[in-house]
Amino acid sequence: QGTTYINDLMTVTAAPGGINVLASGNVVLVSTALQTGKIGPIPAATPIAVTGAGKFTQQRYVSFPGGSEGDWYFLASPMQSKNFTDWADDFRVIGLSSVLGGFGGQGGDVLPSNEPERNTIFSYNEAANNAYVDTVRKRGWTIPAAAATITTGQGYRVFVKKEANPLFDNQGLIYSGDKNMTITRTENATCQDGITLSTAVPCTETWRGWNLLGNPYPCDIDWDAAAAAWTKPGQMQNAWHRWNSAGQGYGLYTNGVGYVGAGPAPSNPNVIPSSQAFFVKAAAAGNYSAVLTVTEAAKITATAGQFARVNAATQKLRISLSKSMNPADYGYDAVIRFMPEATDNYDFSYDFESLGGNNFNLGIPVDQSLLAVASFAPISDSKIVPISINYKGASGSFYLKFSQMETLLEDNAIFLRDNLNGTIQEVTPGFVYNYSVSSTDGLTGDRFELIFNPTVVTGVTPSLAAGAGLNVFPNPNALGKATNVAIKGFDVNTADVVVYDAVGRVVFSKEVALTNGAAQLEIKSELPAGVYTVKAIGGSLTLTQKLAVR
């Protein structure tokens, strides 16, 4: 009875008779800019009920980036069987009129409209990933129907207009117990192009398999909770994507990499807050439906600040694009990683799409997909990985920042090639590349490439003659020191010794005379730090060895 305020965590112990909020009762989960009250795991077979006007109320604090008059949020509700009037009493909700099939006639404070463009709430229908009805109902985005309710486990894209009070709430009967959420993938072959509404445009992987779900509980949940807390179907990528209002773009979280995408990054990226909607991707090819199940065991009862988990041992490189050196400002990240399980092609279990957003962003192109996390097979020879950048009309000074590469650098060297300026620079921890973009540049989005080279000495290639050999020493060599090259086993009088840099340019070449098929020479020219290929070529014999200069 009465009103009970929960500021942190409400712990539920065994309740044989269940939990009932009486007609005069209200359990309020208080939300502030710092934290939101939550209800912890509810024991199995514990019925939850409300009597008459009794209710649970979950508040949600909303911040508006940049002093805006409102913004789009990905929202969900833990309350059962509520229609959109549950949100309309807190902020302006406009729905397409029921005459046109929308939810605008649900009453209360919902404002009906005959113009789809004024609609403020959208759901997502994966099967319609090829449709383009109008400028707002396209690529799966739909307007909830007249009889639609705010369904637990489902997500919505909602425009929240800035009001004097930054709080809105959900009220009713909370959901408890396991939640099964259906995910689908529809292999539409052709897509409407949005101009002629023809169906002659081939659909791409970019649009298939996306499902907008919602946290069904009045509590944060942990994507990395113990296996018993989740049942994740094998056709689904083990990652979740959110809309980052502060960065006006999408970001994803996957264990072993952390948060990638539009920044500033959240402090606990694996935590799905209460009332949060999120995308998951069914990435295995085919037409199918599967079930993602979350249980009460996924609820988080610990205090904030203990959830971020990143596997530091992974060989990876994080790239951040920004217009500022301040890490608190907007930037967009991508990650390249190397792992035995991956191939150099698209792997749905290890590669994760870059959904971009309204601001400049970047991604790694692989098999016609643009990836925020691109996974490749381990490096065994030189590998070139392009960086694709969408500036969204922005120009001026930009920064490419590189980090989290320490494990990768144990066995490899990394170089950044600027195809517009024709420069190559070594990438080391903390390296920042400052450059400018203008509308007249010949190259913009495909301007940069990363070059990865193993620094481990691989030895000579298989010999074509008995006793042939190439020895480069010292190797690795110190910056500024001479390098010695010894060759033997040739059946000609002369051989060419050629040194190539990481991108195949000749940086040293000399013809040497051979005595009994052998020779030794000293390369006195100072080679910059990097990885080189040394070749000895004579007659039908070519010998190769890697050289590392540090």
Side-chain angles (χ1 to χ4, degrees):
Q1 300 186 42
T3 300
T4 301
Y5 294 96
I6 308 298
N7 293 289
D8 190 359
L9 173 68
M10 175 180 172
T11 301
V12 181
T13 57
I19 300 172
N20 183 27
V21 181
L22 301 181
S24 60
N26 185 11
V27 177
V28 180
L29 303 177
V30 178
S31 184
T32 68
L34 300 178
Q35 66 178 14
T36 296
K38 53 191 178 183
I39 299 176
I42 297 174
T46 302
I48 308 293
V50 294
T51 299
K55 60 190 174 185
F56 291 87
T57 298
Q58 182 187 49
Q59 297 179 348
R60 287 305 308 181
Y61 179 91
V62 178
S63 59
F64 295 92
S68 64
E69 290 302 312
D71 214 333
W72 290 97
Y73 292 86
F74 278 21
L75 300 181
S77 173
M79 304 303 171
Q80 303 183 48
S81 303
K82 303 290 291 186
N83 64 25
F84 294 99
T85 58
D86 195 36
W87 282 336
D89 62 348
D90 294 310
F91 52 85
R92 184 178 62 180
V93 171
I94 301 175
L96 190 64
S97 68
S98 55
V99 175
L100 298 177
F103 67 94
Q106 290 190 353
D109 294 317
V110 176
L111 303 174
S113 173
N114 292 325
E115 303 174 44
E117 292 79 7
R118 297 192 64 207
N119 193 81
T120 61
I121 298 179
F122 292 86
S123 55
Y124 191 84
N125 177 13
E126 187 279 332
N129 60 59
N130 66 332
Y132 198 114
V133 179
D134 50 45
T135 58
V136 294
R137 291 177 289 181
K138 58 185 178 181
R139 300 291 187 261
W141 289 112
T142 61
I143 295 175
T149 60
I150 305 174
T151 305
T152 54
Q154 183 173 329
Y156 303 88
R157 178 164 62 97
V158 182
F159 185 82
V160 181
K161 183 174 175 59
K162 186 174 184 179
E163 307 289 354
N165 186 350
L167 289 175
F168 73 90
D169 59 43
N170 303 292
Q171 294 185 339
L173 175 63
I174 62 169
Y175 186 87
S176 64
D178 297 355
K179 183 63 180 179
N180 296 323
M181 296 174 283
T182 300
I183 65 171
T184 64
R185 180 182 170 97
T186 308
E187 295 276 359
N188 291 312
T190 55
C191 289
Q192 294 175 324
D193 60 17
I195 301 174
T196 64
L197 298 185
S198 68
T199 56
V201 180
C203 289
T204 66
E205 178 63 27
T206 302
W207 303 111
R208 299 186 182 108
W210 293 104
N211 292 259
L212 185 58
L213 309 178
N215 181 346
Y217 302 125
C219 186
D220 304 340
I221 53 178
D222 184 1
W223 186 256
D224 292 338
W230 294 87
T231 302
K232 298 174 182 175
Q235 303 98 322
M236 185 192 81
Q237 291 180 330
N238 190 10
W240 68 282
H241 303 247
R242 81 191 83 200
W243 175 257
N244 186 327
S245 293
Q248 289 294 290
Y250 288 92
L252 70 90
Y253 171 79
T254 183
N255 192 17
V257 176
Y259 177 83
V260 182
S267 57
N268 298 312
N270 55 301
V271 175
I272 304 175
S274 55
S275 297
Q276 173 77 54
F278 57 96
F279 272 114
V280 297
K281 171 134 186 179
N287 293 283
Y288 56 83
S289 64
V291 176
L292 171 64
T293 301
V294 61
T295 72
E296 295 275 342
K299 288 182 174 180
I300 292 173
T301 58
T303 57
Q306 299 180 3
F307 310 116
R309 302 183 182 96
V310 175
N311 182 0
T314 302
Q315 284 199 327
K316 63 178 179 287
L317 171 67
R318 182 177 290 264
I319 313 159
S320 180
L321 175 70
S322 69
K323 289 184 71 67
S324 165
M325 287 298 292
N326 186 347
D329 292 340
Y330 170 77
Y332 200 92
D333 289 359
V335 168
I336 297 171
R337 61 178 177 172
F338 301 91
M339 50 198 303
E341 303 90 339
T343 71
D344 288 350
N345 301 316
Y346 178 82
D347 303 299
F348 86 83
S349 294
Y350 310 113
D351 293 322
F352 303 94
E353 274 74 8
S354 172
L355 289 177
N358 298 334
N359 287 325
F360 55 84
N361 53 74
L362 61 86
I364 310 302
V366 175
D367 289 353
Q368 298 183 330
S369 294
L370 194 63
L371 306 176
V373 177
S375 302
F376 297 94
I379 301 170
S380 59
D381 204 345
S382 296
K383 185 171 296 188
I384 297 177
V385 177
I387 303 173
S388 180
I389 299 177
N390 187 339
Y391 293 98
K392 294 286 185 175
S395 60
S397 181
F398 282 86
Y399 297 87
L400 280 173
K401 310 169 192 176
F402 300 86
S403 62
Q404 298 183 7
M405 68 191 79
E406 288 77 8
T407 303
L408 182 60
L409 286 178
E410 291 177 1
D411 301 311
N412 303 279
I414 309 169
F415 302 89
L416 176 70
R417 176 160 57 190
D418 185 334
N419 290 313
L420 181 62
N421 295 336
T423 59
I424 296 176
Q425 297 194 39
E426 186 173 14
V427 177
T428 55
F431 173 66
V432 177
Y433 187 71
N434 181 214
Y435 67 100
S436 295
V437 172
S438 71
S439 58
T440 59
D441 287 342
L443 290 170
T444 53
D446 300 324
R447 176 173 173 173
F448 297 104
E449 294 175 326
L450 284 166
I451 303 162
F452 298 87
N453 274 307
T455 56
V456 177
V457 178
T458 58
V460 297
T461 55
S463 299
L464 299 180
L470 166 64
N471 190 17
V472 180
F473 59 95
N475 191 7
N477 200 2
L479 184 66
K481 300 295 184 181
T483 300
N484 295 282
V485 178
I487 58 177
K488 65 176 183 177
F490 288 82
D491 57 1
V492 289
N493 295 324
T494 62
D496 292 316
V497 175
V498 186
V499 181
Y500 302 86
D501 68 9
V503 293
R505 296 180 302 191
V506 175
V507 296
F508 175 86
S509 180
K510 184 175 183 179
E511 183 182 64
V512 296
L514 302 176
T515 302
N516 297 324
Q520 183 169 329
L521 75 153
E522 183 181 57
I523 301 175
K524 295 182 178 180
S525 54
E526 295 184 2
L527 298 175
V531 177
Y532 300 87
T533 300
V534 181
K535 286 188 177 182
I537 307 167
S540 60
L541 182 62
T542 298
L543 302 179
T544 304
Q545 191 175 65
K546 295 288 185 183
L547 165 66
V549 177
R550 296 175 177 172

